Amino acid sequence: RQQIVGLADHEDPVSQAEVVPPSEAVPAFVRVERSVALDQHWEVVTTVARVAPQHSGINLALPLLSGEQPYQDAPPLREGQAMVSLPAGVDAISWRSRLVPAPRYALQAGDGHHYAEEWRIAVSPLLHVEATGLPESGGMGAGASSHRYLPLPNEILTLDVTRPAALDGSRFAIENVFLSTTPGLRARDSSLTFQLRATQAGQHAIT
């Protein structure tokens, strides 16, 4: 037998519905962006942004990269994983880490159950990097120094990193030469002004 409960005349059904927050019984899912910078020092900035649910808190374990050493602003660490927490009302968190340089470096995506990843690789002009295993999803800036990848679950990107050898050549160059001459009755005064650009500091003999 159905039971019908009526509302009092002064009660508004819409107002009563708004009092109860909507249920967010959906699995947690976030977007993970790892921005890797390969230079004299290697670093990565990890940003975790919520996708769902929109309002409830999210807790998940995010594996660190190979050789990743987070700085003090990172979430708590446990067995090689960052214990990420997004409280209600917080849309994203990020932290910075040091990476241990290696001639061959591999990034592996997670299983994709609770997050999707985006990798951005910025390479210094001092280094040469050959990337294999994933197609590039588009450059992130002018030239080829920045690269973007959207890995599928468990995919691996391998980076072979080398430092090109320096070429033999002159260690300094003379630029902007200016000669000023002032004639006299018996002598002539001359002044030579120039700029010296050198790859090494110190004294340079000019003959």
Side-chain angles (χ1 to χ4, degrees):
R1 185 175 61 181
Q2 293 182 339
Q3 182 178 7
I4 300 176
V5 179
L7 298 174
D9 295 338
H10 65 278
E11 292 180 333
D12 185 358
V14 176
S15 300
Q16 281 209 349
E18 292 175 350
V19 174
V20 181
S23 175
E24 288 194 300
V26 295
F29 197 84
V30 298
R31 186 180 71 254
V32 177
E33 179 184 299
R34 304 186 196 258
S35 298
V36 178
L38 306 182
D39 204 333
Q40 293 183 349
H41 303 285
W42 290 18
E43 287 189 333
V44 57
V45 176
T46 304
T47 300
V48 179
R50 74 164 63 238
V51 176
Q54 294 184 353
H55 304 289
S56 303
I58 297 177
N59 296 285
L60 77 157
L62 181 67
L64 301 177
L65 294 179
S66 174
E68 181 177 353
Q69 300 174 359
Y71 297 134
Q72 295 181 351
D73 59 345
L77 305 179
R78 184 184 303 167
E79 298 180 352
Q81 295 181 320
M83 311 310 293
V84 178
S85 177
L86 287 175
V90 176
D91 292 331
I93 64 168
S94 63
W95 67 91
R96 185 181 300 269
S97 306
R98 175 181 177 268
L99 296 178
V100 178
R104 170 167 288 189
Y105 190 82
L107 295 87
Q108 181 170 2
D111 54 21
H113 289 168
H114 298 291
Y115 59 91
E117 294 192 57
E118 176 179 339
W119 299 335
R120 303 186 183 194
I121 314 295
V123 182
S124 166
L126 300 176
L127 300 176
H128 177 74
V129 175
E130 290 287 344
T132 56
L134 284 181
E136 186 176 350
S137 297
M140 295 304 301
S145 60
S146 298
H147 310 271
R148 178 171 177 258
Y149 299 90
L150 299 174
L152 296 177
N154 300 315
E155 286 191 323
I156 298 175
L157 175 67
T158 302
L159 305 176
D160 290 309
V161 184
T162 57
R163 182 184 294 270
L167 299 177
D168 294 333
S170 178
R171 296 179 180 175
F172 63 89
I174 297 176
E175 299 178 340
N176 300 327
V177 180
F178 179 75
L179 176 63
S180 175
T181 301
T182 303
L185 294 176
R186 297 190 179 186
R188 181 175 58 185
D189 294 332
S190 298
S191 175
L192 181 65
T193 304
F194 60 87
Q195 292 182 347
L196 179 66
R197 180 166 53 88
T199 58
Q200 296 179 351
Q203 296 183 351
H204 301 278
I206 300 176
T207 58

mmCIF file of all heavy atoms in Angstrom, residues 29-31 47-51 53-56 58 86-93:
data_model
loop_
_atom_site.group_PDB
_atom_site.id
_atom_site.type_symbol
_atom_site.label_atom_id
_atom_site.label_comp_id
_atom_site.label_asym_id
_atom_site.label_seq_id
_atom_site.Cartn_x
_atom_site.Cartn_y
_atom_site.Cartn_z
ATOM 1 N N PHE A 29 38.062 10.423 -10.023
ATOM 2 C CA PHE A 29 38.883 10.462 -11.229
ATOM 3 C C PHE A 29 39.534 11.843 -11.310
ATOM 4 O O PHE A 29 38.880 12.867 -11.108
ATOM 5 C CB PHE A 29 38.056 10.198 -12.488
ATOM 6 C CG PHE A 29 38.891 9.827 -13.682
ATOM 7 C CD1 PHE A 29 39.308 8.531 -13.874
ATOM 8 C CD2 PHE A 29 39.287 10.794 -14.611
ATOM 9 C CE1 PHE A 29 40.088 8.182 -14.959
ATOM 10 C CE2 PHE A 29 40.062 10.460 -15.702
ATOM 11 C CZ PHE A 29 40.468 9.144 -15.881
ATOM 12 N N VAL A 30 40.841 11.855 -11.616
ATOM 13 C CA VAL A 30 41.597 13.108 -11.687
ATOM 14 C C VAL A 30 42.457 13.113 -12.947
ATOM 15 O O VAL A 30 42.659 12.082 -13.602
ATOM 16 C CB VAL A 30 42.503 13.290 -10.447
ATOM 17 C CG1 VAL A 30 41.684 13.362 -9.173
ATOM 18 C CG2 VAL A 30 43.537 12.178 -10.361
ATOM 19 N N ARG A 31 42.958 14.300 -13.274
ATOM 20 C CA ARG A 31 43.909 14.474 -14.368
ATOM 21 C C ARG A 31 45.273 14.786 -13.760
ATOM 22 O O ARG A 31 45.399 15.678 -12.929
ATOM 23 C CB ARG A 31 43.479 15.598 -15.300
ATOM 24 C CG ARG A 31 44.365 15.739 -16.549
ATOM 25 C CD ARG A 31 43.908 16.869 -17.458
ATOM 26 N NE ARG A 31 44.184 18.173 -16.873
ATOM 27 C CZ ARG A 31 43.284 18.964 -16.358
ATOM 28 N NH1 ARG A 31 41.996 18.584 -16.313
ATOM 29 N NH2 ARG A 31 43.599 20.142 -15.842
ATOM 30 N N THR A 47 50.988 18.122 -11.183
ATOM 31 C CA THR A 47 49.717 18.782 -10.845
ATOM 32 C C THR A 47 48.592 17.753 -10.941
ATOM 33 O O THR A 47 48.454 17.076 -11.961
ATOM 34 C CB THR A 47 49.428 19.955 -11.791
ATOM 35 O OG1 THR A 47 50.492 20.916 -11.692
ATOM 36 C CG2 THR A 47 48.114 20.636 -11.436
ATOM 37 N N VAL A 48 47.817 17.649 -9.884
ATOM 38 C CA VAL A 48 46.667 16.739 -9.847
ATOM 39 C C VAL A 48 45.408 17.595 -9.781
ATOM 40 O O VAL A 48 45.231 18.376 -8.836
ATOM 41 C CB VAL A 48 46.747 15.796 -8.634
ATOM 42 C CG1 VAL A 48 45.526 14.879 -8.600
ATOM 43 C CG2 VAL A 48 48.032 14.974 -8.678
ATOM 44 N N ALA A 49 44.548 17.466 -10.796
ATOM 45 C CA ALA A 49 43.316 18.269 -10.880
ATOM 46 C C ALA A 49 42.106 17.342 -10.903
ATOM 47 O O ALA A 49 42.095 16.336 -11.616
ATOM 48 C CB ALA A 49 43.332 19.156 -12.126
ATOM 49 N N ARG A 50 41.092 17.701 -10.151
ATOM 50 C CA ARG A 50 39.902 16.858 -10.058
ATOM 51 C C ARG A 50 39.087 16.895 -11.348
ATOM 52 O O ARG A 50 38.989 17.926 -12.009
ATOM 53 C CB ARG A 50 39.041 17.255 -8.868
ATOM 54 C CG ARG A 50 38.259 18.529 -9.015
ATOM 55 C CD ARG A 50 37.140 18.660 -7.965
ATOM 56 N NE ARG A 50 37.608 18.729 -6.597
ATOM 57 C CZ ARG A 50 37.247 17.863 -5.651
ATOM 58 N NH1 ARG A 50 36.410 16.889 -5.942
ATOM 59 N NH2 ARG A 50 37.694 17.995 -4.410
ATOM 60 N N VAL A 51 38.512 15.750 -11.681
ATOM 61 C CA VAL A 51 37.540 15.629 -12.763
ATOM 62 C C VAL A 51 36.180 15.246 -12.178
ATOM 63 O O VAL A 51 35.156 15.854 -12.477
ATOM 64 C CB VAL A 51 38.005 14.591 -13.805
ATOM 65 C CG1 VAL A 51 36.933 14.398 -14.876
ATOM 66 C CG2 VAL A 51 39.326 15.026 -14.436
ATOM 67 N N PRO A 53 34.513 13.245 -8.302
ATOM 68 C CA PRO A 53 33.302 14.068 -8.215
ATOM 69 C C PRO A 53 33.649 15.548 -8.102
ATOM 70 O O PRO A 53 34.766 15.914 -7.781
ATOM 71 C CB PRO A 53 32.632 13.559 -6.937
ATOM 72 C CG PRO A 53 33.782 13.086 -6.094
ATOM 73 C CD PRO A 53 34.767 12.500 -7.055
ATOM 74 N N GLN A 54 32.682 16.395 -8.363
ATOM 75 C CA GLN A 54 32.938 17.827 -8.403
ATOM 76 C C GLN A 54 33.066 18.448 -7.024
ATOM 77 O O GLN A 54 33.742 19.470 -6.874
ATOM 78 C CB GLN A 54 31.830 18.535 -9.189
ATOM 79 C CG GLN A 54 31.791 18.164 -10.667
ATOM 80 C CD GLN A 54 30.750 18.947 -11.439
ATOM 81 O OE1 GLN A 54 29.960 19.685 -10.852
ATOM 82 N NE2 GLN A 54 30.738 18.799 -12.747
ATOM 83 N N HIS A 55 32.444 17.878 -6.007
ATOM 84 C CA HIS A 55 32.394 18.548 -4.712
ATOM 85 C C HIS A 55 32.957 17.707 -3.570
ATOM 86 O O HIS A 55 33.445 18.263 -2.598
ATOM 87 C CB HIS A 55 30.952 18.951 -4.385
ATOM 88 C CG HIS A 55 30.315 19.809 -5.439
ATOM 89 N ND1 HIS A 55 30.682 21.112 -5.662
ATOM 90 C CD2 HIS A 55 29.347 19.530 -6.357
ATOM 91 C CE1 HIS A 55 29.963 21.621 -6.646
ATOM 92 N NE2 HIS A 55 29.146 20.680 -7.086
ATOM 93 N N SER A 56 32.875 16.415 -3.649
ATOM 94 C CA SER A 56 33.329 15.568 -2.540
ATOM 95 C C SER A 56 34.850 15.496 -2.491
ATOM 96 O O SER A 56 35.540 15.838 -3.448
ATOM 97 C CB SER A 56 32.740 14.167 -2.681
ATOM 98 O OG SER A 56 31.328 14.224 -2.720
ATOM 99 N N ILE A 58 38.576 13.734 -2.430
ATOM 100 C CA ILE A 58 39.207 12.671 -3.229
ATOM 101 C C ILE A 58 40.510 12.281 -2.552
ATOM 102 O O ILE A 58 41.307 13.146 -2.171
ATOM 103 C CB ILE A 58 39.478 13.129 -4.670
ATOM 104 C CG1 ILE A 58 38.174 13.458 -5.398
ATOM 105 C CG2 ILE A 58 40.262 12.068 -5.438
ATOM 106 C CD1 ILE A 58 38.381 13.994 -6.802
ATOM 107 N N LEU A 86 42.492 15.619 -2.103
ATOM 108 C CA LEU A 86 41.806 16.828 -2.562
ATOM 109 C C LEU A 86 40.548 17.002 -1.715
ATOM 110 O O LEU A 86 39.524 16.376 -1.986
ATOM 111 C CB LEU A 86 41.434 16.715 -4.047
ATOM 112 C CG LEU A 86 42.565 16.815 -5.066
ATOM 113 C CD1 LEU A 86 42.039 16.563 -6.481
ATOM 114 C CD2 LEU A 86 43.237 18.174 -5.004
ATOM 115 N N PRO A 87 40.597 17.844 -0.695
ATOM 116 C CA PRO A 87 39.398 18.051 0.119
ATOM 117 C C PRO A 87 38.287 18.700 -0.695
ATOM 118 O O PRO A 87 38.506 19.234 -1.783
ATOM 119 C CB PRO A 87 39.894 18.988 1.234
ATOM 120 C CG PRO A 87 41.388 18.905 1.191
ATOM 121 C CD PRO A 87 41.743 18.620 -0.233
ATOM 122 N N ALA A 88 37.097 18.648 -0.160
ATOM 123 C CA ALA A 88 35.960 19.308 -0.815
ATOM 124 C C ALA A 88 36.252 20.796 -0.966
ATOM 125 O O ALA A 88 36.719 21.454 -0.047
ATOM 126 C CB ALA A 88 34.695 19.100 0.009
ATOM 127 N N GLY A 89 36.017 21.298 -2.176
ATOM 128 C CA GLY A 89 36.277 22.702 -2.464
ATOM 129 C C GLY A 89 37.657 22.976 -3.027
ATOM 130 O O GLY A 89 37.927 24.099 -3.452
ATOM 131 N N VAL A 90 38.549 21.994 -3.043
ATOM 132 C CA VAL A 90 39.893 22.149 -3.615
ATOM 133 C C VAL A 90 39.919 21.437 -4.961
ATOM 134 O O VAL A 90 39.650 20.238 -5.040
ATOM 135 C CB VAL A 90 40.977 21.581 -2.679
ATOM 136 C CG1 VAL A 90 42.345 21.664 -3.328
ATOM 137 C CG2 VAL A 90 40.966 22.315 -1.347
ATOM 138 N N ASP A 91 40.257 22.166 -6.023
ATOM 139 C CA ASP A 91 40.205 21.601 -7.371
ATOM 140 C C ASP A 91 41.522 20.994 -7.822
ATOM 141 O O ASP A 91 41.533 20.122 -8.698
ATOM 142 C CB ASP A 91 39.775 22.672 -8.380
ATOM 143 C CG ASP A 91 38.325 23.098 -8.192
ATOM 144 O OD1 ASP A 91 37.526 22.255 -7.733
ATOM 145 O OD2 ASP A 91 38.003 24.256 -8.497
ATOM 146 N N ALA A 92 42.657 21.448 -7.280
ATOM 147 C CA ALA A 92 43.950 20.954 -7.767
ATOM 148 C C ALA A 92 45.030 21.200 -6.725
ATOM 149 O O ALA A 92 44.930 22.126 -5.905
ATOM 150 C CB ALA A 92 44.329 21.627 -9.088
ATOM 151 N N ILE A 93 46.053 20.372 -6.751
ATOM 152 C CA ILE A 93 47.267 20.588 -5.962
ATOM 153 C C ILE A 93 48.460 20.277 -6.852
ATOM 154 O O ILE A 93 48.338 19.559 -7.861
ATOM 155 C CB ILE A 93 47.307 19.712 -4.690
ATOM 156 C CG1 ILE A 93 47.351 18.220 -5.074
ATOM 157 C CG2 ILE A 93 46.138 20.002 -3.781
ATOM 158 C CD1 ILE A 93 47.673 17.336 -3.889
#
